[in-house]
Amino acid sequence: MKAILSVYDKAGLVDFARGLADLGYELYSTGGTRRELEQAGLQVAGVSELTGFPEIMDGRVKTLHPGVHAGILANRDVAAHMAQLEEQGLSPIDLVAVNLYPFEATVARPGVTLAEAIENIDIGGPTMIRAAAKNHASVLVVVDPGDYVAVLADLRAGAVPEARRRALAAVAFAHTAAYDSAIAAYLEAERLGTGETRGASAGETQGASPAESPGWPRQLSLAGTRTQDLRYGENPHQSAALYRTGVGGGGVAAARQLQGIELSYNNIVDVDAAVALVQDMPTPSAAIIKHTNPCGAATGASLVDAYRRAYECDPTSAFGGIVALNDECDADTAAAIAEIFVEVVAAPAFSQGAREALAAKKKLRLLEVAPVTPGVQVKPVTGGFLAQDPDVLLVAREDMRSVGARQPSDEEWAALLLAWRVVKHVKSNAIVLVRDLAAVGVGAGQMSRVESVQLAAQRAGDRARGSVLASDAFFPMPDGIEAAADAGVTAIIQPGGSIKDGEVLAAADARGLAMVYTGHRHFRH
């Protein structure tokens, strides 16, 4: 019996190889794997002893040879296959333990060039894995060190069950699929980095091949590495897990939990929404999220000031919410947060004083989350998924138009710009009221825009007077403007573009409201 071992992840390698050797397997290996096994005292032959051919082209060609692949792919139930092996002086290979250096780690190295990235694309490893997985009825393929113990136990018992062979093959194909997906994503990012854009019209791409089209690729691969099994999904009857894309980096999937109980599925979704919001806000800012919608957001003279002002937006909803900060959490801010029950506090860092102030809350999760540029957003639908570029648009003041009879004051402009950043993170139909650089009322997810205005005003109460309003999309009717004016709003920021813009603007002018058009909407479904 022969086994080929060539792994990047060397966890458990020596014990696995020793177990195979004890069972009578001849071991063949390459490079660093062979060195590690030899240092452990194991007898290991080079793959060139299977091929009868040296490595060439700087190692680009070493396992791509019938001496390897005929031995892996030969169907043991086909007499002609076995006869051809014998005729060629080749032997069956019974086990392939190979896993791949993560491509994301290659391209994450500072200063890596496109040429270096391409040179680091493994060809022989994925080919061996796929060949063994294809022939899994005869060849064991092991890519995850976590499977070593079970495979050895089965071999010692006399046979590996068919169900395990199929499961190992599925894991193997997932491993190579993830590897190829990382390469495809990198090359797509490189293409877009040259100035090309997605989203070309059908007319622009008609007659073009998928590779020539500047739009979305015909096939989009998504892959991640499981980092955590969750207790359950949105509800206890649903199972769930957290996967990370890329290596290291930032974002919620790569967050470091400093204290507290295990995160739930809903916690992670809400933390993601909270972190995305504060990343769009000036420093120092704080946001409080409940069910993915902001129930508080503010910037301030200090982080604790920003947090307290965010909390004052909706203290009732803040209870049991998610707090996100865009600056290091200090002791004063931590002490203020500790005054109420929250599920999670997320920040780029926590001072020692902050850790001490929150240590008594044993269940409270503290998450260090490094900022990250969001990638492609995916939403599953029945039978497939939707994909889009993330909404990272931040319209500058000079690109907006004040269209009303009254111009906004400098104070109103500052509030309008903050309101426009916050409303982008509220579920449509979305309305946000801001006063003194703090959200004071939020209307989210209503079926009509005027109801969202009324809800935001109701939550703001007296604080609505002197506030400004942001709407994620245009006002289809003047009734939303009238409801805002009745609540005491003094200025409105919205995309514009309704066929009734004239009537809407006339209503604003009649009530003395300033009106700003951004020219862009921020629907969030």
Side-chain angles (χ1 to χ4, degrees):
M1 296 181 294
K2 291 180 170 57
I4 294 178
L5 296 89
S6 180
V7 296
Y8 159 71
D9 184 350
K10 295 179 175 56
L13 170 67
V14 171
D15 288 341
F16 184 56
R18 186 169 284 123
L20 293 175
D22 291 343
L23 288 165
Y25 278 83
E26 297 174 25
L27 306 182
Y28 296 83
S29 191
T30 61
T33 304
R34 183 181 181 185
R35 287 192 296 273
E36 180 148 333
L37 294 176
E38 288 176 335
Q39 287 169 4
L42 288 159
Q43 186 173 348
V44 188
V47 169
S48 60
E49 295 188 31
L50 289 173
T51 65
F53 203 88
E55 295 183 14
I56 61 173
M57 300 177 184
D58 300 319
R60 281 191 170 198
V61 179
K62 53 188 172 186
T63 60
L64 298 170
H65 189 279
V68 170
H69 289 283
I72 295 174
L73 285 165
N75 188 331
R76 275 51 163 183
D77 296 328
V78 178
H81 285 197
M82 304 310 291
Q84 287 171 25
L85 279 183
E86 189 172 354
E87 288 168 11
Q88 299 299 326
L90 304 176
S91 301
I93 293 166
D94 304 285
L95 185 146
V96 171
V98 175
N99 56 59
L100 308 170
Y101 183 85
F103 184 77
E104 300 98 321
T106 297
V107 298
R109 293 201 303 260
V112 69
T113 65
L114 176 60
E116 289 169 333
I118 290 173
E119 191 58 34
N120 277 276
I121 295 174
D122 191 339
I123 302 300
T127 307
M128 284 193 292
I129 292 171
R130 288 174 56 82
K134 173 184 172 73
N135 202 25
H136 63 270
S138 302
V139 181
L140 285 168
V141 58
V142 190
V143 300
D144 187 340
D147 290 320
Y148 290 165
V149 171
V151 169
L152 282 177
D154 286 341
L155 290 171
R156 287 166 179 151
V160 178
E162 183 182 351
R164 190 181 307 282
R165 288 177 176 272
R166 282 200 305 270
L168 292 170
V171 171
F173 279 120
H175 186 58
T176 58
Y179 186 75
D180 287 340
S181 294
I183 296 168
Y186 170 74
L187 293 176
E188 175 71 358
E190 283 289 309
R191 178 177 77 85
L192 294 175
T194 64
E196 295 184 54
T197 58
R198 283 197 274 253
S201 69
E204 292 173 305
T205 60
Q206 188 173 7
S209 74
E212 294 168 340
S213 168
W216 284 85
R218 181 172 293 179
Q219 294 176 312
L220 180 63
S221 298
L222 302 170
T225 301
R226 189 184 66 205
T227 60
Q228 186 179 350
D229 285 317
L230 303 175
R231 286 174 294 164
Y232 51 80
E234 285 183 285
N235 299 290
H237 60 274
Q238 296 170 271
S239 63
L242 174 64
Y243 286 79
R244 184 193 69 238
T245 57
V247 172
V252 174
R256 187 163 74 102
Q257 186 167 347
L258 304 180
Q259 77 166 47
I261 60 176
E262 180 185 352
L263 288 161
S264 73
Y265 180 100
N266 293 332
N267 290 153
I268 294 167
V269 173
D270 284 342
V271 170
D272 190 54
V275 169
L277 171 53
V278 291
Q279 280 189 191
D280 267 358
M281 297 175 69
T283 303
S285 291
I288 306 174
I289 293 287
K290 200 71 169 287
H291 304 307
T292 73
N293 275 305
C295 57
T299 188
S302 64
L303 193 61
V304 65
D305 177 48
Y307 166 73
R308 288 197 181 280
R309 288 149 53 75
Y311 169 74
E312 288 164 3
C313 175
D314 188 350
T316 301
S317 297
F319 184 86
I322 306 293
V323 176
L325 313 168
N326 64 6
D327 204 354
E328 180 182 73
C329 181
D330 55 46
D332 289 343
T333 306
I337 294 170
E339 293 172 6
I340 65 163
F341 166 67
V342 296
E343 294 275 5
V344 183
V345 182
F350 290 81
S351 72
Q352 185 58 38
R355 296 282 302 274
E356 292 169 0
L358 295 169
K361 290 183 170 283
K362 302 294 186 186
K363 293 184 177 181
L364 173 63
R365 297 93 159 176
L366 301 187
L367 289 185
E368 277 189 351
V369 185
V372 66
T373 301
V376 172
Q377 293 180 327
V378 175
K379 185 184 290 288
V381 297
T382 350
F385 58 86
L386 297 166
Q388 67 173 354
D389 288 322
D391 184 1
V392 294
L393 180 68
L394 293 173
V395 183
R397 173 175 169 174
E398 54 268 25
D399 296 321
M400 300 176 180
R401 291 189 299 133
S402 175
V403 295
R406 183 176 75 77
Q407 299 300 302
S409 67
D410 289 343
E411 183 180 351
E412 285 174 326
W413 262 117
L416 287 167
L417 293 174
L418 181 65
W420 186 243
R421 293 198 175 199
V422 175
V423 80
K424 169 184 163 184
H425 297 270
V426 180
K427 293 292 179 69
S428 301
N429 287 315
I431 297 292
V432 172
L433 302 185
V434 166
R435 191 174 79 175
D436 298 329
L437 299 183
V440 293
V442 178
Q446 302 306 301
M447 285 64 75
S448 75
R449 193 155 298 276
V450 66
E451 288 179 349
S452 286
V453 174
Q454 292 164 345
L455 180 58
Q458 175 188 333
R459 285 182 167 156
D462 291 340
R463 294 171 301 164
R465 301 218 161 267
S467 70
V468 305
L469 178 152
S471 173
D472 66 336
F474 62 64
F475 284 91
M477 305 286 285
D479 54 0
I481 306 302
E482 292 161 355
D486 289 344
V489 169
T490 65
I492 291 175
I493 187 167
Q494 55 132 328
S498 167
I499 59 172
K500 294 197 174 182
D501 270 354
E503 295 179 36
V504 169
L505 184 55
D509 287 342
R511 303 293 291 270
L513 276 67
M515 179 74 75
V516 171
Y517 288 171
T518 66
H520 299 275
R521 77 178 191 198
H522 284 302
F523 272 165
R524 192 175 187 86
H525 283 78

